[in-house]
Amino acid sequence: MAVPDLLPAVLHRMHMNQLMLGSAIEELAIWIEQRGSTETADQVHQHLATLQANADFISEGIVELMADP
């Protein structure tokens, strides 16, 4: 695999890791909320919103990198 081809692949894997970490944190936030700590769960959800916004941007960037010849 050539270096230019490697960059989108590496970024894609990093992006997938980010999404999976976000999913795991979301599960923990739900667990926390079910135990009555709604303030903490709300803060986690706010941080997850930022994580998702960044993930969307990263995804768009990867698509652009893969489209460039």
Side-chain angles (χ1 to χ4, degrees):
M1 184 175 281
V3 173
D5 295 335
L6 184 60
L7 180 61
V10 170
L11 290 175
H12 175 71
R13 292 285 181 109
M14 291 174 69
H15 181 243
M16 297 309 310
N17 285 346
Q18 180 180 1
L19 294 176
M20 294 305 103
L21 286 169
S23 293
I25 293 167
E26 176 69 26
E27 291 293 325
L28 290 171
I30 292 168
W31 184 83
I32 291 167
E33 188 172 29
Q34 290 172 343
R35 279 143 186 82
S37 188
T38 55
E39 285 184 35
T40 301
D42 288 344
Q43 290 175 356
V44 171
H45 286 291
Q46 290 174 11
H47 294 303
L48 286 171
T50 301
L51 190 69
Q52 184 59 52
N54 289 335
D56 292 343
F57 180 81
I58 291 167
S59 180
E60 292 170 11
I62 292 169
V63 169
E64 289 291 321
L65 284 171
M66 293 176 83
D68 272 349

